Amino acid sequence: MTAVQLGAPAGPSAARRRAVWLAAWPLTAVFMLSNVPTPLFVLWQHRIGFATGTLTVVFATYIGGLLLALPVAGVLSDRYGRRTVLFPAVLAGLVACLLYATAGGVAALLVARLLTGLAVGAAVPAGMAAVADVAGPERRRLASLAGSVAIGSGLAAGPLLAGCAAQLLPAPTVTAFAVEAALLLSALLVVRGLPQVRHEGGAGPWLRLPSVPRPNRRDLLASLAAYMPGMTGTSFLLAFGPSMLANLLGTSNRIVAGGSAFVMFGASTGVQFAVSRWRTHRLLATAAVATAAGMVAVVLAVRAGSIALLLAAAVLAGAGQGMSQLGGFSLLNARVPTGRLAESNAALSAWGYLFAGILPVAAGYLSDARGIAFSATVLGLTVAGTAAIGMLFVLRLGRAE
């Protein structure tokens, strides 16, 4: 394969901007994989036969893989180069595609989700840092926008692709993951052209909990105050959305299921362009408000059996996730030294995904015991309350600065 060369070009500004956006393509391809299974989970559930609690465990195994990768990927990327981490990340995604396409039992789905999590957990810190490397120090804000939008675009496109395949085409799991595998192969071409930036000054063991430099701890806390509930809100809707549509709202149409996820992450992507010039603390506080409103809308949707309210919840949750993601990465990108940037990105992602993995699994088992309406209400109100507390914390830190 021929590499696409993406070192920061010395040419006109437009060429440099294109290079930054192209460098973000591997993030889009990998994050598509994370959400392609979303409309297919109900199909697998009916074909293989497992309870809602098992479904949320399969869904959250992705979080487990991600949390295994993040403590290693950020440090390795800073010390040994972005390509060193991104190549195996994309290859893990390709193996996951094969497992998804041929899955005949829960075990195959669990391994595929684990590999997906490993791919995403490696791609987030290394990919975001690689985009920053291509952008250069004078375009840090553009790098944050390009990387965050690339993630949101992948999250949006994946479920729409799978939903259309499941509703309109034969062998939907094979078709959807064959397309995704082709996209991952194209991402390998981009990875080959990325600059192999290394930072030799890093200290400490290469296997450790990802962290930020001491002066940046308040920045990480401010980011997490909005990012943790934002990620949990979208994770909740991804895990429960198809079941809510099927069990509460009376539709099993896979395009509707995939379309609702597309709407959610489409809102996540679109809102980032609209607010890209906002101050980071304003971004984070507004994100927390949107997340809280989205979770209240979820509670109202399941109580009223309303598709319109569920779509409104998806838009609000997506906007909250998008703004918290952009605000968090922008804050770290602007203030963390380059030699610790990938590790800092890993720290933000690790804590955000940990919160996003625990609550939906607990809600899945609660759903088996008490019903989906009850569990959705409990989780929705919990996340809304957490987001409200996060908003107050961010505002307090913003005033202190």
Side-chain angles (χ1 to χ4, degrees):
M1 292 187 291
T2 302
V4 180
Q5 296 300 321
L6 290 175
S13 177
R16 297 192 63 160
R17 291 176 66 87
R18 285 195 296 270
V20 171
W21 287 98
L22 182 58
W25 169 245
L27 287 168
T28 300
V30 171
F31 271 89
M32 276 189 71
L33 176 64
S34 71
N35 273 2
V36 167
T38 299
L40 304 174
F41 277 132
V42 173
L43 186 153
W44 279 315
Q45 188 177 16
H46 290 162
R47 181 194 303 166
I48 299 170
F50 49 85
T52 302
T54 304
L55 174 61
T56 55
V57 170
V58 172
F59 180 86
T61 301
Y62 158 75
I63 308 289
L66 191 147
L67 294 175
L68 286 173
L70 284 170
V72 181
V75 178
L76 289 181
S77 174
D78 283 333
R79 292 188 184 179
Y80 303 111
R82 316 310 186 196
R83 295 201 305 264
T84 303
V85 174
L86 286 171
F87 262 120
V90 177
L91 292 175
L94 287 167
V95 176
C97 285
L98 177 63
L99 289 171
Y100 282 127
T102 59
V106 173
L109 293 177
L110 288 170
V111 175
R113 288 297 282 172
L114 182 68
L115 286 171
T116 302
L118 291 171
V120 172
V124 171
M128 291 294 295
V131 176
D133 293 339
V134 173
E138 71 280 9
R139 290 178 173 81
R140 285 284 184 100
R141 189 76 180 205
L142 174 63
S144 298
L145 178 63
S148 189
V149 165
I151 290 172
S153 299
L155 291 171
L160 186 63
L161 164 66
C164 291
Q167 193 66 30
L168 303 175
L169 299 174
T173 55
V174 175
T175 303
F177 290 106
V179 173
E180 171 60 20
L183 297 177
L184 288 171
L185 287 171
S186 73
L188 282 178
L189 297 177
V190 176
V191 170
R192 288 184 64 187
L194 291 171
Q196 182 71 323
V197 177
R198 297 182 180 90
H199 299 278
E200 303 296 340
W206 61 269
L207 178 59
R208 64 176 187 254
L209 286 176
S211 62
V212 298
R214 186 179 295 273
N216 301 112
R217 288 179 181 176
R218 285 163 63 96
D219 301 325
L220 178 63
L221 289 175
S223 301
L224 287 172
Y227 188 64
M228 286 195 299
M231 287 300 300
T232 304
T234 53
S235 178
F236 165 46
L237 284 171
L238 281 175
F240 278 76
S243 295
M244 285 192 288
L245 286 168
N247 298 339
L248 294 177
L249 307 182
T251 179
S252 59
N253 188 295
R254 310 296 176 229
I255 297 178
V256 173
S260 64
F262 175 80
V263 167
M264 180 166 65
F265 288 109
S268 169
T269 302
V271 75
Q272 292 181 58
F273 288 102
V275 301
S276 61
R277 297 186 182 276
W278 285 14
R279 293 173 58 88
T280 50
H281 284 84
R282 180 188 177 191
L283 258 176
L284 293 169
T286 307
V289 172
T291 298
M295 293 301 96
V296 171
V298 169
V299 174
L300 295 175
V302 296
R303 294 296 174 180
S306 169
I307 290 180
L309 277 173
L310 189 61
L311 289 176
V315 170
L316 288 166
Q321 183 268 342
M323 287 188 286
S324 68
Q325 179 176 279
L326 177 60
F329 283 124
S330 295
L331 193 58
L332 297 180
N333 227 10
R335 299 187 180 183
V336 174
T338 304
R340 294 286 301 279
L341 184 55
E343 184 183 355
S344 298
N345 290 338
L348 175 64
S349 299
W351 288 110
Y353 277 103
L354 178 63
F355 196 70
I358 292 173
L359 288 183
V361 170
Y365 282 101
L366 184 61
S367 174
D368 287 337
R370 298 291 301 274
I372 194 168
F374 180 82
S375 62
T377 299
V378 170
L379 180 58
L381 293 178
T382 300
V383 177
T386 305
I389 295 170
M391 177 201 65
L392 295 175
F393 181 73
V394 169
L395 290 175
R396 181 180 178 184
L397 286 182
R399 292 192 195 101
E401 294 184 0

